[in-house]
Amino acid sequence: MFSTTQRVAQHALRLQTAGRLALAAAAVAVLAACSALPQKPQPVARYDFGPVQALKAPSAPSANAEPLVLANVRAAGVPDASAAIYYRLAYADVRELRPYTQASWALPAMQLIQQRMRDVLSGQRAVVLDDDGANQLMRKSGYPAMLRLEVVDFSQVFDSAQSSQGVLRMRATLSEITPKGERWLAQQVFNAQQPAASADAAGAAAALAAATDQVAQQLDTWLREQGR
């Protein structure tokens, strides 16, 4: 038989244990409620090609250079209005384009490419955008040249999990605008690869911007070779 003192002590111990269990259950409930709350969305990083001043200074413009009409840049395989930054895993399936989910271009990629091409090509000649500019030039200078650009690939390509490069492959078609339509003059495919400093969207954006600058310089040289 337990004495009265022992029974009181045991009862107090049971109450203390029950209190601790109740507190633990309450703490678990609070944690569960917190985890059920909606999480704050992660901000999406937005990139562009950086300042134009970082480009290599072009040579002196030619006095005989004619104005050039630059059509809207088109993309093969992806929407023209897409602002996604894409990458490929060459060691898994190089045919699959994968977008970064927490990063994008500040503008559609084709628009950024067109802007950069115009910035570089304007160092040698006047560059006018869209068909309205072409109509104006026809009234002033006869038959202007039209440059159409189609982007075949614009992505970060991973050779391994740690090694990647920004790749731009672009087809350029040069034609002459006449009252009867466009007259084909020349066509060339340009390729550029620039190593990515990091295996993420930031590395992709920097490498793709550098590849775009490289192709722009190649395109400028090619146009001068065509007398344009």
Side-chain angles (χ1 to χ4, degrees), residues 70-121:
L70 179 59
N72 291 334
V73 178
R74 299 300 182 187
V78 296
D80 291 340
S82 174
I85 302 176
Y86 289 102
Y87 65 94
R88 301 175 187 269
L89 303 180
Y91 58 87
D93 188 352
V94 72
R95 296 168 298 179
E96 182 180 0
L97 275 177
R98 308 164 188 248
Y100 282 102
T101 58
Q102 294 300 319
S104 71
W105 295 112
L107 295 172
M110 299 305 107
Q111 187 174 336
L112 288 175
I113 292 174
Q114 183 184 45
Q115 289 179 354
R116 183 49 53 95
M117 295 299 162
R118 186 186 191 187
D119 290 338
V120 175
L121 299 181

Side-chain angles (χ1 to χ4, degrees), residues 37-218:
L37 294 175
Q39 298 296 315
K40 183 178 180 180
Q42 293 294 324
V44 175
R46 302 191 185 279
Y47 298 93
D48 58 20
F49 290 168
V52 179
Q53 290 80 356
L55 290 176
K56 177 183 177 181
S59 56
S62 171
N64 299 323
E66 298 179 358
L68 178 71
V69 179
L70 179 59
N72 291 334
V73 178
R74 299 300 182 187
V78 296
D80 291 340
S82 174
I85 302 176
Y86 289 102
Y87 65 94
R88 301 175 187 269
L89 303 180
Y91 58 87
D93 188 352
V94 72
R95 296 168 298 179
E96 182 180 0
L97 275 177
R98 308 164 188 248
Y100 282 102
T101 58
Q102 294 300 319
S104 71
W105 295 112
L107 295 172
M110 299 305 107
Q111 187 174 336
L112 288 175
I113 292 174
Q114 183 184 45
Q115 289 179 354
R116 183 49 53 95
M117 295 299 162
R118 186 186 191 187
D119 290 338
V120 175
L121 299 181
S122 295
Q124 289 291 322
R125 62 200 62 78
V127 178
V128 180
L129 300 180
D130 68 40
D131 293 336
D132 291 336
N135 294 332
Q136 294 174 8
L137 284 178
M138 283 188 65
R139 291 194 292 268
K140 293 180 180 179
S141 60
Y143 299 158
M146 167 73 79
L147 179 63
R148 298 189 181 277
L149 303 176
E150 182 184 22
V151 173
V152 180
D153 190 17
F154 188 59
S155 63
Q156 180 186 23
V157 179
F158 283 86
D159 300 319
S160 67
Q162 294 79 31
S163 175
S164 65
Q165 57 270 339
V167 175
L168 173 58
R169 186 168 184 263
M170 185 173 67
R171 182 183 298 107
T173 302
L174 183 65
S175 60
E176 191 174 58
I177 303 173
T178 74
K180 295 183 180 181
E182 291 185 37
R183 184 170 67 88
W184 187 89
L185 297 176
Q187 188 175 79
Q188 181 71 35
V189 175
F190 297 92
N191 292 280
Q193 296 185 9
Q194 292 292 328
S198 57
D200 54 15
L208 288 169
T212 302
D213 291 343
Q214 183 180 348
V215 167
Q217 295 290 346
Q218 295 172 356

